[in-house]
Amino acid sequence: LLERDRERDHYRLGMKLFEYGTTVLGTMELQREAKSFVEALTKVSGISVHLCVFDGIRSTVVNRTECDGNRANTTVVIEAAPAHCTSTGKAILAFQPPAIIAKIIAQGLMRYTPHTISDSDALSKELALVRERGYAVDDEELSIGIRCVGAPIRNVSGRVFAAVSVSGPTRKVPDSRIAELAELVTHYADAISAQLGYRADAPRIG
């Protein structure tokens, strides 16, 4: 974030801040178009909602919306998370070209909890399941006690570049609620995709 001047004891802004700024600029349209859908999903689900984009390696949270009674409070953040063990990351990664998936696997699948998928074959099977059912689940894979359900967001060309998820403690997101939340998340993810110009019946580009 900061770079030190070697000749003087001074500091200047580093390239990491530039990268973060570029991410923000690239997601301004997404945040603008998704705002009402994210707030609605937060109110309906009653738990936190994360809107994320893919930078080619990580799933980066660009805003977090919390439910406060009848209100949805949104915080703009830039928070990178590994793609292989988050619901948004897996929801995006499942629809990337094989070369991108191979690159992430080659970098190593770090284990964060006993539930983290750290084997390449297991991850490949998990991503195939995500493609089949249209949503991903983080079952305490990044943080113990936290369960998330995420679904992919497509741009006008049909490319999956972002995802939205609901997230909460396991007591609020028990196994018995996953199907209900998956239906909600995929509905709102599809609505955001349509708002961005994506049409399921249109030919995909790229």
Side-chain angles (χ1 to χ4, degrees), residues 25-197:
L25 289 174
T27 60
M28 286 178 66
E29 180 186 12
L30 172 64
Q31 295 202 58
R32 182 177 64 251
E33 299 297 340
K35 185 176 185 295
S36 62
F37 299 106
V38 167
E39 290 178 351
L41 176 57
T42 306
K43 292 175 183 177
V44 172
S45 67
I47 52 180
S48 301
V49 172
H50 291 162
L51 185 66
C52 303
V53 296
F54 186 56
D55 67 1
I57 298 176
R58 298 168 296 271
S59 173
T60 301
V61 180
V62 293
N63 81 44
R64 180 184 297 111
T65 305
E66 307 280 352
C67 188
D68 180 14
N70 293 322
R71 298 178 56 190
N73 297 323
T74 298
T75 304
V76 176
V77 296
I78 298 294
E79 185 178 286
H84 70 285
C85 59
T86 57
S87 66
T88 54
K90 290 189 289 184
I92 298 171
L93 194 57
F95 298 93
Q96 299 307 306
I100 296 294
I101 298 174
K103 177 181 178 182
I104 289 175
I105 290 174
Q107 291 181 342
L109 304 176
M110 183 178 291
R111 183 181 290 276
Y112 292 87
T113 77
H115 306 286
T116 304
I117 297 174
S118 57
D119 175 77
S120 59
D121 290 338
L123 180 62
S124 295
K125 291 178 181 177
E126 176 79 357
L127 297 181
L129 180 61
V130 173
R131 285 190 291 272
E132 178 184 337
R133 65 189 182 186
Y135 67 90
V137 177
D138 164 6
D139 191 5
E140 300 184 80
E141 295 168 45
L142 181 62
S143 301
I144 291 294
I146 300 297
R147 188 172 285 135
C148 315
V149 183
I153 295 172
R154 298 181 182 274
N155 63 14
V156 66
S157 69
R159 181 175 65 87
V160 173
F161 76 107
V164 63
S165 72
V166 289
S167 175
T170 51
R171 61 183 174 79
K172 287 189 175 182
V173 189
D175 288 336
S176 60
R177 201 184 174 198
I178 288 178
E180 167 213 339
L181 291 174
E183 185 174 356
L184 282 174
V185 171
T186 53
H187 170 76
Y188 282 99
D190 290 346
I192 294 169
S193 297
Q195 185 70 16
L196 292 170

